[in-house]
Amino acid sequence: MKEVIVFIVCFLIVLFFYEMIFVVPMKKYRANKGKKKKEKKELAEIRYLVYKYKLDLKKVNYNQLLQIVALTSSLDITIIVTIISFIDSYLLSLLLCLVLVIPIIMISYWFVFRFYKKRGMIKDV
């Protein structure tokens, strides 16, 4: 039971910081896009979805996409932290973290792709 509570608390903390650091500034930037001269790049997760899975940003509600990316990334980080917390050895936990990061990210964003594909928001190539 303690692990579940730690998982939920960790998820909420990571989600809060992800929202404050990435989502809120991107929403403000998109709202004031014509006023600013400095070009801001998209989040890496969104660029990954666009280039790998051909996500059509013209069809997608951008604010909803930002929220889905925030939830997905927070869940990924929380899953990795939870798995690592069961290991006592620092070196072993670091190695396991390096092994887990890429597959977990790729699998979770494949699920996001499937979500948008069902809704027809993928470019027809």
Side-chain angles (χ1 to χ4, degrees), residues 6-57:
V6 170
F7 181 86
I8 293 170
V9 169
C10 182
F11 175 74
L12 293 175
I13 291 171
V14 171
L15 181 63
F16 174 76
F17 281 112
Y18 199 90
E19 288 277 338
M20 293 299 117
I21 293 171
F22 297 109
V23 174
V24 172
M26 283 306 293
K27 282 184 180 180
K28 287 180 183 177
Y29 170 73
R30 294 286 283 201
N32 301 327
K33 194 172 183 179
K35 298 177 185 175
K36 293 185 179 180
K37 299 208 179 208
K38 186 178 178 183
E39 187 65 27
K40 196 171 193 176
K41 293 186 176 184
E42 297 288 337
L43 293 176
E45 295 91 337
I46 295 175
R47 283 187 279 154
Y48 175 74
L49 288 168
V50 169
Y51 293 122
K52 171 95 171 139
Y53 298 117
K54 309 295 185 225
L55 183 68
D56 192 359
L57 288 179

Side-chain angles (χ1 to χ4, degrees), residues 29-110:
Y29 170 73
R30 294 286 283 201
N32 301 327
K33 194 172 183 179
K35 298 177 185 175
K36 293 185 179 180
K37 299 208 179 208
K38 186 178 178 183
E39 187 65 27
K40 196 171 193 176
K41 293 186 176 184
E42 297 288 337
L43 293 176
E45 295 91 337
I46 295 175
R47 283 187 279 154
Y48 175 74
L49 288 168
V50 169
Y51 293 122
K52 171 95 171 139
Y53 298 117
K54 309 295 185 225
L55 183 68
D56 192 359
L57 288 179
K58 294 176 185 173
K59 296 180 183 177
V60 173
N61 179 352
Y62 192 76
N63 289 336
Q64 178 191 29
L65 177 62
L66 283 174
Q67 292 302 318
I68 289 173
V69 164
L71 287 170
T72 305
S73 296
S74 299
L75 187 63
D76 291 348
I77 293 168
T78 306
I79 288 170
I80 292 170
V81 167
T82 303
I83 292 171
I84 299 297
S85 68
F86 291 119
I87 299 173
D88 293 331
S89 170
Y90 178 74
L91 184 59
L92 187 59
S93 63
L94 182 63
L95 290 173
L96 184 62
C97 181
L98 291 173
V99 170
L100 288 177
V101 168
I102 300 298
I104 288 178
I105 290 172
M106 292 180 76
I107 290 169
S108 64
Y109 281 101
W110 179 80

